[in-house]
Amino acid sequence: MKKKYLLIIILVSNLNCNINNKLMDNHSFSRPDQIFTKHLDLDIEVDFFNKKIFGEAKYKLEKLKSVNHIILDIYNLKILKIESNGTKCSYSLGKHDSIFGQSLKINLEKHYDEISIFYETIKGAKALQWLDPNQTAGKKNPFLFTQSQAILARTWIPCQDSPGVRFTYNAKVKVPKNLLPVMSAVNPFEKNDIGIYNFTMTQPIPAYLMALSVGDLQFKKLGKHTGIYAEPSMLLKASFEFENTEKMLKLAEDMFGKYLWDRFDLLVLPPSFPFGGMENPKLTFVTPTILSGDRSLTSLIAHELAHSWSGNLVTNKTWDDFWLNEGFTVYLERRIIERLKGRDYSDMLTLLGKQDLEHTVSEIGKDHENTHLKLNLVKQDPDNGLTDIAYEKGFFFLKLLEEKFGRKQFDLFLNKYFNEYKFKAIDTEEFVEYLTNNLIKDGDIAINEIQIDKWIYGPGIPDNCPQVKSSKFNKVIQIVDQFNNGFKIEKIKSNNWSSHEWLYFLRNLPPNISYDQVKNLDDMFNFTDSGNSEILNIWFQIAIKTNYKKADKAMEKFLVNVGRRKFLEPIYSELMKYKPNKAKSIYKKARMNYHSVSKSTIDKIVF
Ligand code: BES
Ligand code: ZN
């Protein structure tokens, strides 16, 4: 071939790969299309005194194109030295961006097979929350946990921080002798005398599923493949609450194919954990705010378990495709719950989800592009665009497919999808192609009845959204109507309501409810002292707007202790609307107890 043509081909293919890279991941500096990390050996020490993690991250690399460097993502990591096969490597750092951090470009000189980065985290590393003993249940020992999703893995490990890149890992972790470390890996069941622990994760995972927690933890077995890690004083309550975990695992396997992560254990964190749950493989992290004492919030466990198929096995390629993780997971979650508790029960969750969807669409704006399933979060912190849209609009799209094609056919499709894409990432475009090749083969149905494009690339809630009815909730609405018509609350027959019915009742109270009505309700049902965090969340919002001061003390205690963003966001927003000074004074006390992701959300509301 003539040189001139060769040059043109090289130029064109370079151009293509730049374009591809733009499509690949807007939220990572790395170029896994050129060279990628396929295995990590992590050797770190957790230093509670200085609140830092330090050590070595050694990667095995696989080169796909002719390059002489690799780019990793870092965010405020102190890089001490970099080596490859014992030889020092030169490197350069890109400009720091407050959302994405910086690129770490390492020159590979001669060796392309491995790279060792010696580093330490800085004091405020965003993924990490260091808790003092008084922020734990036991009050005697400090505690640490990580939260890496969406792009915080780079704040504690240098990595190709893109959900499309998977690697296996081994880790050696040194901790103070009285504490037990656990990871998203095969975990120890008890403490040892030396304080050094080894972990293995032989299934390849993306960086956002890297997780570590260290504390005074104990293990309690639930079933053959399931168990709980928690501080000793929490173990009994947790093992009652999560008793159905092994059963849910079997139900899920029965519907969606074999569970490929060996164990499914739960770690109960202190209340500052910013999420309800995080699906770290082999070890889901959960908030203690789901320990309601009546197993009414275990759908959250079904949700995190469902991620073992959608999310952890088949992963969204970028955060713009987040609905492929969460929409599928909500669909699977409700199928698991339907098998466990019956259709009446799962219908209640579906209807609450529909309310959440309508609420979120009206908050974002029904024509806003952030209500599309396929997002476009270029230059934005993905954390801001990851809303209920992915969860609930995603769910209803899949529910529509289920209704159109029947469960039997849809389940066959799901099983095939999980099997063919296991341990791989997929983006929305590829999914649509897969869907039209394997389920919706008829172009007319796709366009006329399902309207895939409207659902995925269009705003708001499409008009063919499945209707949901719940006979249990219909009864609740009758009671709400009676209440609105001035019926005395004593006469309301609410016996045997589950917490979901109560939640629906509270959500549907009239917006102009009076102080007297609120007081009357509380005298009767004592919502202010409810042990159910979902009920408290909505109750406090009602109390704020009606100036029902009796709930103030409980609300303040809740806000100071609980760091779960889903609750903090609406409560602080209501407070800012009605009592901004109170919002500010509570936040002043509470802020130090929150993880960075909650802090950054609430800062925007209160400051
Ligand atoms: N993976 C998510 C949590 C998450 C999402 C963390 C985006 C960071 C960025 C987890 O599976 C989740 O969805 N948790 C929910 C609970 C669920 C029942 C809807 C939560 O934390 O509220
Ligand atoms: Zn989820």
Side-chain angles (χ1 to χ4, degrees):
M1 203 184 317
K2 281 188 181 159
K3 257 191 185 161
K4 195 169 133 194
Y5 289 121
L6 193 64
L7 190 69
I8 290 173
I9 291 171
I10 291 171
L11 280 175
V12 168
S13 71
N14 264 341
L15 195 69
N16 268 339
C17 115
N18 278 332
I19 292 168
N20 277 338
N21 185 49
K22 281 220 173 74
L23 292 175
M24 246 163 53
D25 190 347
N26 288 318
H27 303 121
S28 169
F29 294 107
S30 68
R31 291 293 306 264
D33 57 319
Q34 299 178 340
I35 182 166
F36 73 95
T37 52
K38 67 174 183 195
H39 177 81
L40 166 66
D41 282 298
L42 191 66
D43 182 351
I44 52 175
E45 181 167 342
V46 179
D47 175 353
F48 276 92
F49 184 76
N50 293 300
K51 300 196 169 148
K52 70 180 185 188
I53 290 176
F54 61 92
E56 174 188 0
K58 181 194 250 180
Y59 284 105
K60 290 202 176 81
L61 306 177
E62 182 144 336
K63 200 165 122 173
L64 300 173
K65 296 225 171 99
S66 165
V67 281
N68 53 11
H69 63 263
I70 180 166
I71 301 173
L72 303 183
D73 295 293
I74 60 169
Y75 192 111
N76 283 345
L77 290 182
K78 221 188 261 174
I79 304 298
L80 306 174
K81 69 172 173 182
I82 301 182
E83 290 177 352
S84 177
N85 297 286
T87 317
K88 256 196 175 169
C89 293
S90 60
Y91 60 90
S92 59
L93 297 172
K95 193 168 166 277
H96 176 84
D97 177 281
S98 64
I99 299 171
F100 303 114
Q102 51 195 152
S103 59
L104 169 60
K105 184 174 170 189
I106 304 166
N107 298 317
L108 294 169
E109 323 289 350
K110 282 187 240 97
H111 305 287
Y112 297 96
D113 57 333
E114 66 153 65
I115 194 84
S116 266
I117 302 112
F118 295 82
Y119 73 101
E120 57 185 59
T121 60
I122 61 143
K123 206 152 192 174
K126 285 175 186 249
L128 310 179
Q129 191 174 8
W130 303 88
L131 300 174
D132 293 333
N134 68 344
Q135 294 167 297
T136 66
K139 312 275 179 225
K140 288 209 181 78
N141 292 289
F143 201 102
L144 165 71
F145 66 82
T146 64
Q147 168 58 41
S148 298
Q149 197 184 11
I151 55 166
L152 300 182
R154 65 190 71 173
T155 73
W156 69 287
I157 305 173
C159 59
Q160 292 187 318
D161 196 3
S162 172
V165 183
R166 308 180 86 88
F167 51 89
T168 52
Y169 77 89
N170 296 330
K172 186 172 150 207
V173 180
K174 184 163 187 253
V175 297
K177 278 183 192 151
N178 51 339
L179 303 180
L180 182 72
V182 286
M183 293 191 82
S184 50
V186 177
N187 278 300
F189 291 119
E190 56 187 20
K191 292 172 194 159
N192 64 33
D193 296 333
I194 51 170
I196 296 174
Y197 297 82
N198 289 297
F199 299 86
T200 55
M201 175 47 119
T202 52
Q203 293 93 331
I205 60 165
Y208 80 89
L209 295 175
M210 287 300 297
L212 167 71
S213 182
V214 184
D216 179 18
L217 295 170
Q218 237 175 49
F219 176 79
K220 190 173 186 319
K221 185 178 162 184
L222 284 171
K224 192 165 172 229
H225 308 93
T226 53
I228 302 172
Y229 290 86
E231 288 188 69
S233 67
M234 306 294 286
L235 262 186
L236 209 63
K237 192 167 184 198
S239 64
F240 170 82
E241 203 80 33
F242 304 142
E243 199 182 60
N244 287 323
T245 309
E246 185 85 20
K247 204 163 153 191
M248 290 200 276
L249 178 61
K250 292 214 178 80
L251 291 172
E253 280 195 299
D254 188 40
M255 290 186 282
F256 311 121
K258 199 169 168 3
Y259 180 77
L260 295 176
W261 304 92
D262 310 316
R263 291 196 60 81
F264 180 75
D265 292 319
L266 301 168
L267 168 66
V268 181
L269 289 154
S272 68
F273 187 58
F275 293 103
M278 178 62 215
E279 66 274 23
N280 298 314
K282 294 183 193 281
L283 183 66
T284 279
F285 285 20
V286 297
T287 168
T289 62
I290 52 168
L291 300 173
S292 56
D294 59 8
R295 297 185 183 144
S296 60
L297 302 177
T298 40
S299 62
L300 188 135
I301 305 297
H303 178 97
E304 305 313 334
L305 170 65
H307 273 305
S308 311
W309 287 265
S310 45
N312 297 4
L313 203 55
V314 180
T315 307
N316 53 207
K317 197 174 262 174
T318 77
W319 299 116
D320 288 345
D321 308 299
F322 185 56
W323 78 278
L324 292 175
N325 271 20
E326 296 298 343
F328 274 80
T329 295
V330 173
Y331 177 81
L332 267 49
E333 165 203 332
R334 292 191 181 141
R335 291 287 304 274
I336 296 167
I337 291 295
E338 184 188 319
R339 286 279 297 268
L340 187 74
K341 305 258 210 172
R343 184 71 188 246
D344 271 1
Y345 192 98
S346 60
D347 280 347
M348 291 197 287
L349 300 185
T350 302
L351 212 73
L352 289 168
K354 184 82 175 273
Q355 274 195 329
D356 290 336
L357 176 60
E358 285 160 355
H359 179 78
T360 304
V361 167
S362 83
E363 288 228 308
I364 300 177
K366 68 175 181 17
D367 299 318
H368 197 285
E369 64 169 359
N370 282 1
T371 66
H372 299 189
L373 283 179
K374 171 78 186 192
L375 296 165
N376 179 17
L377 302 171
V378 61
K379 296 206 172 115
Q380 292 177 52
D381 187 342
D383 206 43
N384 299 333
L386 307 184
T387 68
D388 269 353
I389 300 293
Y391 291 79
E392 295 297 344
K393 188 175 173 182
F395 165 83
F396 280 103
F397 175 58
L398 298 170
K399 177 97 183 137
L400 177 68
L401 295 177
E402 178 208 281
E403 287 181 1
K404 284 276 178 259
F405 293 94
R407 257 204 190 162
K408 206 167 156 203
Q409 218 183 321
F410 190 56
D411 282 0
L412 282 173
F413 167 79
L414 283 178
N415 274 271
K416 189 164 179 250
Y417 172 60
F418 291 139
N419 190 43
E420 284 181 22
Y421 280 92
K422 63 180 176 231
F423 301 112
K424 289 196 184 123
I426 181 167
D427 63 20
T428 302
E429 292 68 27
E430 194 176 346
F431 174 74
V432 171
E433 197 183 321
Y434 188 81
L435 184 67
T436 47
N437 287 335
N438 290 281
L439 186 70
I440 321 179
K441 291 174 192 146
D442 180 339
D444 286 346
I445 293 191
I447 294 165
N448 300 329
E449 291 182 33
I450 297 175
Q451 306 190 314
I452 307 185
D453 278 358
K454 269 199 176 170
W455 276 92
I456 294 181
Y457 302 108
I461 308 172
D463 45 23
N464 63 347
C465 185
Q467 299 294 319
V468 258
K469 288 196 195 81
S470 154
S471 50
K472 285 187 185 273
F473 279 0
N474 284 341
K475 291 192 187 118
V476 174
I477 289 299
Q478 285 170 12
I479 305 279
V480 172
D481 288 343
Q482 290 176 12
F483 180 72
N484 289 345
N485 290 329
F487 259 69
K488 273 259 176 307
I489 198 73
E490 290 86 348
K491 300 231 172 81
I492 290 178
K493 286 205 196 95
S494 53
N495 319 341
N496 297 325
W497 272 5
S498 67
S499 66
H500 300 101
E501 285 151 303
W502 279 117
L503 201 60
Y504 197 65
F505 175 78
L506 293 171
R507 278 189 184 191
N508 286 287
L509 288 172
N512 58 351
I513 185 170
S514 70
Y515 175 92
D516 287 340
Q517 282 176 306
V518 170
K519 183 176 180 314
N520 188 352
L521 279 175
D522 204 25
D523 288 346
M524 197 65 193
F525 301 110
N526 199 11
F527 292 118
T528 298
D529 298 319
S530 170
N532 185 300
S533 54
E534 297 281 347
I535 304 257
L536 285 176
N537 171 37
I538 178 120
W539 180 247
F540 292 147
Q541 293 174 55
I542 294 171
I544 293 164
K545 71 175 181 201
T546 53
N547 198 21
Y548 179 65
K549 292 214 172 71
K550 216 185 134 202
D552 279 7
K553 230 172 110 186
M555 178 180 69
E556 181 163 338
K557 190 171 161 217
F558 185 86
L559 289 175
V560 169
N561 286 310
V562 174
R564 189 173 168 191
R565 184 168 65 175
K566 175 184 145 187
F567 296 148
L568 302 183
E569 212 175 342
I571 299 176
Y572 277 110
S573 298
E574 282 306 275
L575 273 174
M576 283 306 286
K577 222 185 306 161
Y578 296 93
K579 300 173 175 186
N581 287 335
K582 194 169 193 78
K584 286 178 185 154
S585 76
I586 294 178
Y587 191 42
K588 220 171 159 183
K589 277 184 252 173
R591 190 176 185 278
M592 58 177 264
N593 291 336
Y594 299 162
H595 183 274
S596 77
V597 307
S598 292
K599 277 183 196 162
S600 66
T601 302
I602 308 305
D603 281 355
K604 284 185 212 134
I605 296 171
V606 175
F607 289 150

